[in-house]
Every structure is written in C-alpha cells, then in structure tokens.
Amino acid sequence: MTPADLETVYEALAEQLDAIGPDRRELYLAKLALLLVHEIADAGRARSLVAEAASNLEE
C-alpha cells in the first residue's frame, strides 16, 4: 500500500467515525477489526497487530 493509499483509507475511516457518532464508535471499530482480521486470515499476525495497536497510546 502506498502512502497515498494509506491516506485515503485514513480519510475514509475518519469520515465514517464522524458519520456514526461517538456512541457507536467502539462497536464500529470492533466490527471493523474483526472484518480486517478475517481478511488477513492469519491468527498469529492478527495477535501481533492487536498488541502493536496498544503501544504508544499515551498522549
């Protein structure tokens, strides 16, 4: 994926998060994560990405 592709995906995600509102964001993100994990079809890689996503969350 190119940087430009990544930017368009980021923009689509940001727009969708704004559209669904704060009360449904957690549910949406959980559903999206499960759909993406299903697409990569690699449980080990998915677990690694789950751990990686949790790093550096402090502001």
Side-chain angles (χ1 to χ4, degrees):
M1 182 178 298
T2 68
D5 291 337
L6 187 58
E7 183 65 25
T8 60
V9 171
Y10 176 82
E11 288 175 12
L13 178 58
E15 289 173 7
Q16 189 62 57
L17 287 169
D18 287 343
I20 62 173
D23 58 326
R24 307 290 278 169
R25 285 183 185 153
E26 286 184 25
L27 176 62
Y28 170 78
L29 289 171
K31 186 175 181 178
L32 176 61
L34 291 172
L35 289 167
L36 292 170
V37 165
H38 182 72
E39 283 292 313
I40 64 171
D42 181 338
R45 180 69 179 133
R47 285 191 304 273
S48 294
L49 293 170
V50 166
E52 185 178 335
S55 66
N56 300 317
L57 291 178
E58 44 299 313
E59 294 180 25

